[in-house]
Amino acid sequence: MTLSPAAQNVLRSVAATLVSDGAADLGDRVARKIESLPSPADRAELDLLLRLLDFRVVNLLLSGIPKPFTGMSPAQREHCLHGWATSRMPQRRKAFQALKRLTTVTHYTTPGVARAIGYPGPLGPPPNTAKPIRPVAITGRTTLDCDVVIVGSGAGGGVVAAELAAAGKDVIVLEKGGYRNEADFTHQEGEALETMYDAGGLLATHDLGLVVLQGATLGGGTVINYTTSLPTPASVRHEWARDHQLPHFESEEFTRSLDAVAQRIGVNTDHAKPSGRDRVLIRGLEQLGWHHGLLPRDVRGCTQDDSCGYCGFGCRRGAKQSTLITYLQDAAARGARIVVDCDVRRVVIDRGVATGVEARVGGGRFAVTVRAKAVIAAAGSVHSPALLLRSGVSLPALGRNLALHPATAVFGDMDEDVRPWTGTVQAHYSDQFADLDDGYGFKFETAPVHPSLQALAAPWESAAQHRDWMARLPRTALAGILLRDRFGGRVSVDRAGNPVVDYRLSPYDRAHLRRAIAGGAAVMEAAGAREIWLPLARAVSYRPGAHGARDEWLARVDAAGWGPNQLLLVTFHQMASCRMGASARSSVVDAEHRVWGIRGLYVADASVFPTASGVNPMLTVMAIAHRAAQMIT
């Protein structure tokens, strides 16, 4: 769908209002972003919104300005948009955040633009590294045959592919994204988002309340994640065994799988040199006497220098032991065939038996059918349930219980240069509040802050104010919050079969989040921050020093609101939407990863978690997939 001429005209004015120093073609580039959104409904909704903004009566009723948006003065346009940003109406806040995120991220990820705020961009060109994997070339309607077809190539799909190929199975791996390796990692932020992240980094919950960041490239999330490789906590393993009747999670069998995958990807704590961000976090935690520890990472020969902060856009040195350079190469060496740019639309199910999959390759140009004795969904907790739903699987728990580890941060403006985009991607963490109630609570971690994240986080009250907030980037530190959520959301599909993610923080989880924000502010204060702020739609900050300043700030945070698009929440970890259990009434797969009621259909990714893991989930996913391969052989 192309935006209507009327919508494009309004969008140009909106973009120029949100970013007053943007290039003349900014609105047109944002239009192309909108046109690339995977959901037709989302594209149509934005087209309608933009056209409505040019109706006098709409603006009179909603903003008190009886003019079309294109006919307003610059000050009136800013007043109008700010009213949408802070509205009590969720629909208006959603509309504003859609336009703000698209426009500001597009602007600040344009090569060279962020130099004005002290961000250097890529540190040199990528290396000339050969591609060792040779994907199957699809040039027309194609039918392939194999023993096992695997949908997805990340932490789940990559591991199960290598293990099954080693067991002598004829394996085909289908990956929705393309094949990019070190030679393609330009570290241009905008290009990386477009080519290695699902929906170009624009995926979000239906109400835009959470930004969903996940990989869409050969190797999946393991290529763009932050290398953190925590094992499944003993308390979580016990909970899954006890509450979900899955005793194997406390068995030596599962421990052996955890150990096997950790060894293959080189998990260690020898590469935990703290970045500038980590040093600020550690300083605050130590001043308070709170726990902190080293994060284990799946790296070999990681230099932990300035360039490491960019490996959310791919590790140029090949130090990150993603499935791209470990398990997928193992699988390919043992004869597994790999197809990229492959969008699997449905599992073929014949009289209760999975017999293969149907897919589209090359942007939908070519149809591919894969006939197989077993089908393994490993497309992640958004796309695996969507695939099963499109395929006619009907189970009460399918798509439900979705856990997202909602993440946000308390930001601190420091006196010293932090350069938060540099250094080890994640090196230290705190479990001081990981168990507030029966294993539920939150972690403190850090993550690299590049211009796109700062653009998302910085409140917008005017173009000049947002630009000033962006200029704080070099001296920005953060206490990142990773919340173990107890009550989940849901994945469904729209009329076109695209996944729709619905999620709302429960009062229980919101109480833990508020405690995390208070704790994060205490850490930033103890670390010496001169001003502390949250990624709210409103600019709500405080300067430490005055008695009761933090409590007064928290009261203003409460007043600013906790609803969708009032506080920025991001999810890096999606789990539990095809959860494992002992009954078809409450789960999607059994203890051996078999989808209830359908022979030959398995799921082997984070979607089978019974609950949120409470830790960065990659190692748990890999161990589950390792064990699943033993079940399938």
Side-chain angles (χ1 to χ4, degrees), residues 355-370:
T355 61
V357 300
E358 294 177 348
R360 302 169 185 162
V361 175
R365 287 181 297 161
F366 307 121
V368 174
T369 299
V370 181

Side-chain angles (χ1 to χ4, degrees), residues 280 283-284 413-416 523-531 544:
V280 172
R283 187 166 73 220
D413 296 340
M414 312 302 295
D415 286 323
E416 76 262 31
V523 171
M524 287 292 100
E525 273 195 44
R530 61 186 179 189
E531 186 170 3

Side-chain angles (χ1 to χ4, degrees), residues 77-416:
R77 290 177 183 174
E78 286 193 337
H79 175 78
C80 175
L81 291 180
H82 183 248
W84 284 66
T86 57
S87 173
R88 293 176 179 270
M89 295 172 58
Q91 298 87 347
R92 292 178 71 196
R93 298 198 306 269
K94 174 184 176 181
F96 173 81
Q97 287 298 331
L99 295 172
K100 182 238 183 181
R101 293 173 189 175
L102 284 162
T103 302
T104 60
V105 170
T106 298
H107 174 66
Y108 283 103
T109 59
T110 300
V113 165
R115 290 198 190 101
I117 59 170
Y119 175 78
L123 305 180
N128 185 20
T129 305
K131 288 184 168 69
I133 296 172
R134 295 289 181 264
V136 176
I138 304 294
T139 57
R141 181 180 293 274
T142 303
T143 299
L144 302 171
D145 292 278
C146 62
D147 294 327
V148 182
V149 61
I150 301 165
V151 183
S153 65
V159 172
V160 77
E163 293 298 317
L164 289 174
K169 299 291 185 183
D170 181 11
V171 173
I172 292 177
V173 179
L174 307 178
E175 166 57 47
K176 184 180 180 183
Y179 179 17
R180 302 178 68 81
N181 78 337
E182 295 87 344
D184 304 302
F185 299 155
T186 66
H187 288 174
Q188 292 285 0
E189 190 176 13
E191 181 188 41
L193 290 170
E194 288 181 8
T195 58
M196 293 195 289
Y197 284 75
D198 199 6
L202 300 175
L203 191 65
T205 54
H206 182 59
D207 62 5
L208 302 190
L210 275 96
V211 177
V212 181
L213 292 174
Q214 58 183 23
T217 186
L218 189 62
T222 69
V223 176
I224 49 95
N225 71 13
Y226 297 152
T227 74
T228 298
S229 304
L230 290 162
T232 322
S235 60
V236 173
R237 292 174 64 175
H238 178 66
E239 177 187 339
W240 290 354
R242 177 196 64 201
D243 295 349
H244 297 270
Q245 301 174 55
L246 298 167
H248 70 268
F249 279 114
E250 288 194 292
S251 68
E252 282 300 313
E253 171 195 32
F254 188 66
T255 299
R256 285 193 297 272
S257 287
L258 276 169
D259 291 343
V261 297
Q263 182 177 7
R264 178 65 187 91
I265 64 172
V267 175
N268 69 87
T269 54
D270 299 330
H271 294 81
K273 176 184 176 182
S275 66
R277 287 169 281 107
D278 287 303
R279 290 195 295 271
V280 172
L281 181 69
I282 292 166
R283 187 166 73 220
L285 291 167
E286 289 186 342
Q287 284 289 324
L288 295 168
W290 290 357
H291 164 268
H292 70 86
L294 301 177
L295 282 170
R297 304 177 59 221
D298 65 317
V299 294
R300 290 187 169 98
C302 177
T303 58
Q304 304 170 86
D305 59 14
D306 283 358
S307 65
C308 289
Y310 292 78
C311 86
F313 313 140
C315 175
R316 286 179 173 181
R317 291 187 171 88
K320 184 191 298 187
Q321 301 297 291
S322 66
T323 60
L324 181 66
I325 66 170
T326 55
Y327 282 103
L328 289 171
Q329 291 193 26
D330 295 346
R334 291 168 177 143
R337 289 169 283 171
I338 297 172
V339 184
V340 296
D341 296 314
C342 183
D343 181 15
V344 180
R345 301 309 299 168
R346 75 180 187 102
V347 179
V348 180
I349 301 171
D350 183 12
R351 289 173 288 189
V353 179
T355 61
V357 300
E358 294 177 348
R360 302 169 185 162
V361 175
R365 287 181 297 161
F366 307 121
V368 174
T369 299
V370 181
R371 298 185 297 219
K373 298 170 186 174
V375 177
I376 303 174
S381 297
V382 173
H383 291 292
S384 281
L387 172 61
L388 299 187
L389 287 164
R390 288 196 301 268
S391 305
V393 177
S394 179
L395 290 164
L398 180 55
R400 298 183 182 274
N401 309 299
L402 175 71
L404 292 179
H405 277 176
T408 191
V410 179
F411 292 89
D413 296 340
M414 312 302 295
D415 286 323
E416 76 262 31

Side-chain angles (χ1 to χ4, degrees), residues 414-430:
M414 312 302 295
D415 286 323
E416 76 262 31
D417 278 346
V418 178
R419 297 167 68 240
W421 59 87
T422 61
T424 309
V425 281
Q426 286 186 318
H428 283 251
Y429 75 106
S430 173

